[in-house]
Amino acid sequence: MEKIIKLFLILLSCFTLGCSSAEDCTKTITIPSQTIITPSGSSFIPESAAVVPCDYVVTPIQEQVPLENFSYEVLNFEFTPDTGNNTNRLKFDIQLNNLNNFTINGFAYITLNVDGTLSSSGFLNGATSSCGQIGPNSSCVFSYEKEASLNLGLVQSIQLVDVNYYLSN
């Protein structure tokens, strides 16, 4: 009889105070902002929040990092603000050096200063050699040449800031 009374009191307290099962348990997690770098440019994903079950395991997001043991040498870099044909022209050749003992597969990511504004891209549209694969302790020359209409805007100067190499997944 005493067990029945205890069971009754437990059930009564659950109904009046509310019982929560593990299935109903949720928590809010914060997903940090992230920049994703691809050969065609970069995308920024802002910080967000999500409601997940309490037993959800948070896996850390690994940030994309440029290849280590990499160097580059600028062989040629020319910017012509006005070609006389209502266009400007950017042409460069950059030697990419894989200083690792293994073959790398990926893309060069080039940062330029365009009239005081930094711009980064894989510069594949206009590249004659993209260096998608570089052998161990080897080099590849990334070549780019493209003309753009002055109707899109008049650019006075372009300067090379940095070159990184990102591995493809």
Side-chain angles (χ1 to χ4, degrees):
M1 180 73 168
E2 191 176 309
K3 289 183 181 182
I4 293 175
I5 293 174
K6 284 184 182 179
L7 181 62
F8 177 75
L9 289 174
I10 292 172
L11 288 174
L12 181 63
S13 66
C14 279
F15 286 117
T16 56
L17 300 175
C19 284
S20 64
S21 67
E23 295 172 4
D24 296 334
C25 179
T26 60
K27 63 183 176 182
T28 302
I29 61 170
T30 301
I31 302 164
S33 63
Q34 182 178 9
T35 301
I36 299 173
I37 299 171
T38 65
S40 59
S42 61
S43 298
F44 178 74
I45 302 170
E47 182 179 282
S48 62
V51 177
V52 297
C54 284
D55 61 353
Y56 180 81
V57 178
V58 178
T59 0
I61 297 173
Q62 291 188 358
E63 208 174 303
Q64 257 181 310
V65 292
L67 177 69
E68 292 183 17
N69 297 322
F70 167 81
S71 68
Y72 66 92
E73 181 183 342
V74 179
L75 305 175
N76 174 42
F77 191 91
E78 298 173 34
F79 174 67
T80 308
D82 188 349
T83 63
N85 297 324
N86 198 35
T87 62
N88 62 30
R89 181 172 150 253
L90 177 62
K91 178 182 179 180
F92 56 80
D93 299 295
I94 301 171
Q95 180 175 303
L96 308 177
N97 305 309
N98 175 13
L99 306 175
N100 295 288
N101 292 324
F102 54 86
T103 298
I104 57 174
N105 294 299
F107 55 93
Y109 199 69
I110 300 167
T111 301
L112 301 175
N113 181 334
V114 181
D115 286 342
T117 302
L118 294 182
S119 173
S120 298
S121 172
F123 285 90
L124 293 181
N125 186 12
T128 55
S129 169
S130 65
C131 298
Q133 183 177 69
I134 307 173
N137 299 306
S138 297
S139 300
C140 176
V141 176
F142 185 94
S143 297
Y144 178 88
E145 182 174 2
K146 188 166 185 182
E147 288 190 28
S149 172
L150 294 179
N151 294 336
L152 300 175
L154 186 60
V155 175
Q156 297 298 319
S157 72
I158 297 179
Q159 294 141 357
L160 180 68
V161 174
D162 197 15
V163 179
N164 289 301
Y165 196 88
Y166 287 91
L167 298 178
S168 301
N169 293 337

